[in-house]
Amino acid sequence: MSKSFDVIIAGGGAAGFFTAINIAERNPALKIAILERGKEVLSKVRVSGGGRCNVTHACFIPADLVKFYPRGEKELRGPFNRFCSGDTIDWFERHGVELKAEEDGRMFPVTDSSQTIIDCFLAAAKKYNIQILTGQSIQSLYNAESHWKIATQTETYLAASLVMATGSNPKMWDMLAELGHSIIPPVPSLFTFNIKDPRIKDLMGVSALASVNVKGSKLDASGPLLITHWGMSGPGILRLSAWGARELAEKEYRFTLQVNWLNDTDAEDCEEILRELKLENAKKTIGKKSPFDFPNRLWESLVIAAGINTEARWADLTKQQLQDLTTQLTNGQYAVNGKSTFKEEFVTAGGIDLKEVNFKTMQSKLYNNLYFAGEVINIDAITGGFNFQNAWTGGFIAAESIAGQE
């Protein structure tokens, strides 16, 4: 025998809970259920931000906020004007969770624990009698004129409205494709680069502000670059991986990365600086101390890569050596051979084609009683709380639409 609800949310993650709670707050009379395929809900919230939950970002102007989304920038302008990061802070404060901003703009609960967010959601769900049904893996979706029929491996559910908040779940995308939706094939978005290169072999943990670009493409980014035991990571690399998600997938993650360790200093200016250093430090050894704003170990490695003896004096540098050192500093070529997932915060580019979503209601353009929230649609962002903000905004707008039409 089937169980009937006014609203069923598919997916017990951040977007699913936020949508359910906001619907219930607007219309407490509605019977709402969250279907989660796993044994636990909110598992991605638990591990996000290193277990602290990076709730949002302290960027409060919608026109600026959208620039952090490689896919969805244009579509999110309207939604962010209705529910932005400032609204997120207010929402959580009203629900007893105070947030704090860190120097880089990321915002966390003051407790520094993702459990605070989980407890907040679970308490609100209990307050409004939202049923949380775990171990419910959806096997089929059927649309009748007045309702949805959702079959799991053990139950059949009926719902007037269905919200898909299933994240990057290929099985759900396949079901939505069968219903006629176009799916942009998913590819990884936030990842780090695997590089085996003698110049960075023993420099794990070294960080520098650098600009990077993919040779032969328009893909570039800048920001802190972190050398790891498998290659390169850090905000600059993650930014590049997000904007280049599709292009780098097509290259099968094999390409040449050009690194300017001096960030915005070009080759001509760099060579001029080196010539001045040669005059000023004529009698000093070249390899001991970095004259630039990055660690000595990196400087020494680049000096060796330029074919210069680290014990040589600045005065002994030849014109060719100066040019080779300039190249290593401003246009180092590094062979990338593969990628690694960035911690547990796996994000994909792909999902429901944005042309098939009404961003005023988060409703499907194919079905009146089908809604989307979170990563199930083809929107993703760089790391820093932006993917959660997309989940909150989409969930809020879907909730307004659903609660208002009953």
Side-chain angles (χ1 to χ4, degrees), residues 83-313:
F83 193 88
C84 203
S85 32
D87 301 300
T88 298
I89 296 164
D90 291 343
W91 192 95
F92 278 102
E93 279 192 1
R94 284 201 316 275
H95 291 78
V97 178
E98 193 183 340
L99 303 180
K100 60 172 180 177
E102 302 204 334
E103 275 185 35
D104 58 5
R106 292 181 304 157
M107 298 199 72
F108 297 89
V110 292
T111 59
D112 277 328
S113 172
S114 57
Q115 192 62 44
T116 305
I117 304 300
I118 294 169
D119 291 345
C120 167
F121 285 164
L122 292 177
K126 187 177 181 182
K127 178 182 175 181
Y128 290 105
N129 297 314
I130 296 165
Q131 290 197 36
I132 302 166
L133 306 166
T134 55
Q136 295 296 303
S137 176
I138 296 171
Q139 305 299 310
S140 66
L141 298 172
Y142 174 75
N143 178 251
E145 283 300 307
S146 61
H147 65 273
W148 284 92
K149 184 178 178 183
I150 302 120
T152 69
Q153 75 278 40
T154 55
E155 302 280 354
T156 303
Y157 300 94
L158 303 178
S161 294
L162 172 63
V163 181
M164 298 302 290
T166 45
S168 306
N169 184 337
K171 187 178 158 189
M172 292 299 105
W173 281 327
D174 289 345
M175 281 184 207
L176 290 165
E178 284 172 25
L179 290 169
H181 269 291
S182 308
I183 308 297
I184 307 300
V187 294
S189 178
L190 289 180
F191 50 86
T192 59
F193 298 163
N194 294 352
I195 299 170
K196 280 191 167 64
D197 190 290
R199 287 169 289 182
I200 60 170
K201 184 171 179 277
D202 297 314
L203 299 183
M204 190 177 94
V206 166
S207 180
L209 184 64
S211 58
V212 289
N213 72 285
V214 174
K215 191 174 182 178
S217 85
K218 291 179 179 175
L219 291 173
D220 59 44
S222 63
L225 185 157
L226 175 68
I227 297 171
T228 68
H229 63 273
W230 63 82
M232 292 183 188
S233 182
I237 296 294
L238 292 171
R239 202 166 285 141
L240 192 68
S241 78
W243 259 270
R246 298 222 156 267
E247 200 173 321
L248 299 181
E250 285 165 14
K251 293 178 184 291
E252 296 180 331
Y253 310 106
R254 286 169 178 80
F255 55 91
T256 299
L257 182 73
Q258 295 174 306
V259 180
N260 182 345
W261 295 104
L262 305 182
N263 194 25
D264 51 6
T265 303
D266 63 19
E268 194 178 329
D269 288 344
C270 173
E271 196 169 337
E272 181 60 36
I273 292 166
L274 290 175
R275 277 199 295 268
E276 286 172 13
L277 285 165
K278 182 181 173 180
L279 289 173
E280 289 167 13
N281 303 313
K283 293 180 179 178
K284 290 182 181 174
T285 347
I286 188 169
K288 292 287 179 253
K289 190 168 186 339
S290 170
F292 298 104
D293 191 20
F294 56 69
N296 296 335
R297 287 196 297 151
L298 177 59
W299 166 252
E300 188 179 359
S301 178
L302 297 176
V303 167
I304 293 166
I308 301 164
N309 185 328
T310 55
E311 297 299 323
R313 294 181 312 160

Side-chain angles (χ1 to χ4, degrees), residues 317-379:
L317 283 186
T318 65
K319 187 181 177 185
Q320 185 60 53
Q321 285 175 324
L322 274 177
Q323 287 173 349
D324 291 346
L325 185 53
T326 297
T327 301
Q328 289 297 334
L329 285 162
T330 61
N331 191 19
Q333 316 264 319
Y334 295 83
V336 176
N337 189 9
K339 60 170 177 56
S340 296
T341 304
F342 176 61
K343 299 182 183 173
E344 305 92 344
E345 297 173 38
F346 186 66
V347 173
T348 56
I352 301 288
D353 192 326
L354 302 182
K355 295 189 193 77
E356 298 173 0
V357 181
N358 177 348
F359 281 88
K360 290 179 178 172
T361 58
M362 297 311 292
Q363 189 168 226
S364 159
K365 288 183 179 177
L366 279 60
Y367 299 92
N368 285 336
N369 48 359
L370 177 63
Y371 296 81
F372 304 112
E375 282 182 49
V376 69
I377 59 179
N378 184 29
I379 287 179

